[in-house]
Amino acid sequence: MAVEGKGDGGPQQAGLTRQALVQAALRVLEREGVHGLSMRKVASELGVKASSLYWHVRNKEELLDLLTDALMADAQAPPREGDWREQLREYCVRYRRHLLGKRDAAKVVAGRLAPGPHLLRLMEDQLGRLREAGFSDADAAMINYLLGAFVQGFVLQEQGPLSASEAMGAGRREVATAAGEQLRGLPQDTFPHLVALAGDLTGPSMEDRFSFALERLLDGLSALLEQGGRDVRKEGTSHE
């Protein structure tokens, strides 16, 4: 590795810090989305050559690792009020709101395990609450993953266009209403359930869908806690 500050584009020569790099990348992400994020554009945002960035990150993937943590810098854990179910519900509600408030945040963080100080703070807090609630260590770790994956996946789902019509500018409710009408117009003898449930399938808001799914998830965790948890060592340790 080159000695810091020597040669073209060194951090000292360019006045570049990792913090400045991350903040510039966040601005590009907010402006152009994850697909528009590139090392070249981040360098341009900083007014330096792209080669300067490689003192801190080797490629875009490493930059996304840094962004995964930076996006959580202002995420707040809920107060320790109510029982564990109320606290986990509020965790998920806040996390969804947080991801929706930052452009393409869910696309950056989904599936990534790149814990920095901000993620570590939130994970430590949540794991502590789960253990205090009586979940086993193995279950607490699994639940920590489950809650993150659930919220991230839901946000990815609700931010994706329902169809080409929405992608081209139609309103989401307009598209859902049209889909409902299409379902109602199907041959009833062939699709009796789709015709009967057309309104139920296309009518609920994303808020209602999120609340329903979250409550069912919490129901499952309640049942797990009542059963006394499980021992993953008896279930195998494969990560596949």
Side-chain angles (χ1 to χ4, degrees):
M1 180 177 290
V3 178
E4 185 171 307
K6 293 187 178 182
D8 292 339
Q12 291 178 2
Q13 181 178 337
L16 178 63
T17 65
R18 176 169 288 195
Q19 182 178 6
L21 166 62
V22 171
Q23 291 304 311
L26 286 172
R27 293 193 296 272
V28 175
L29 178 67
E30 182 63 30
R31 189 170 63 242
E32 303 193 33
V34 70
H35 294 301
L37 180 69
S38 69
M39 301 291 277
R40 179 182 58 80
K41 290 179 181 178
V42 174
S44 177
E45 182 77 14
L46 289 162
V48 301
K49 295 180 179 180
S51 58
S52 300
L53 306 186
Y54 294 102
W55 289 82
H56 297 287
V57 291
R58 288 179 291 183
N59 48 45
K60 181 178 176 179
E61 289 300 319
E62 288 195 355
L63 180 60
L64 290 173
D65 282 351
L66 294 179
L67 289 181
T68 295
D69 188 65
L71 285 166
M72 296 299 108
D74 55 346
Q76 298 297 319
R80 287 180 173 269
E81 298 174 355
D83 61 16
W84 67 266
R85 182 172 178 137
E86 294 175 77
Q87 293 180 40
L88 291 190
R89 179 187 298 113
E90 185 62 18
Y91 244 116
C92 292
V93 169
R94 288 185 178 214
Y95 190 29
R96 173 175 173 246
R97 187 186 308 132
H98 186 79
L99 292 179
L100 287 172
K102 298 177 183 292
R103 182 173 179 181
D104 282 356
K107 291 181 181 179
V108 173
V109 305
R112 237 170 232 281
L113 181 60
H118 304 303
L119 278 170
L120 291 173
R121 167 179 56 85
L122 293 168
M123 290 175 67
E124 177 69 14
D125 178 81
Q126 189 178 100
L127 288 169
R129 298 186 199 215
L130 289 166
R131 297 178 80 190
E132 290 167 15
F135 290 101
S136 70
D137 289 353
D139 286 341
M142 284 290 196
I143 294 167
N144 177 258
Y145 176 86
L146 170 64
L147 295 179
F150 163 65
V151 177
Q152 291 162 11
F154 191 93
V155 172
L156 288 173
Q157 179 91 355
E158 67 179 312
Q159 287 188 325
L162 287 174
S163 69
S165 295
E166 186 181 2
M168 292 186 291
R172 195 174 187 89
R173 175 44 51 193
E174 178 186 354
V175 174
T177 299
E181 291 303 316
Q182 180 182 5
L183 294 177
R184 290 186 185 91
L186 292 171
Q188 191 163 5
D189 57 343
T190 305
F191 303 102
H193 304 301
L194 285 171
V195 172
L197 301 180
D200 296 301
L201 288 167
T202 62
S205 67
M206 295 309 291
E207 291 292 334
D208 290 339
R209 295 179 190 278
F210 182 78
S211 295
F212 178 86
L214 178 55
E215 292 307 314
R216 302 297 75 76
L217 186 153
L218 294 173
D219 287 344
L221 295 183
S222 294
L224 177 66
L225 190 59
E226 291 174 3
Q227 294 167 4
R230 59 189 180 78
D231 188 345
V232 294
R233 290 170 296 183
K234 296 177 181 179
E235 301 175 9
T237 58
S238 173
H239 294 289
E240 299 179 358

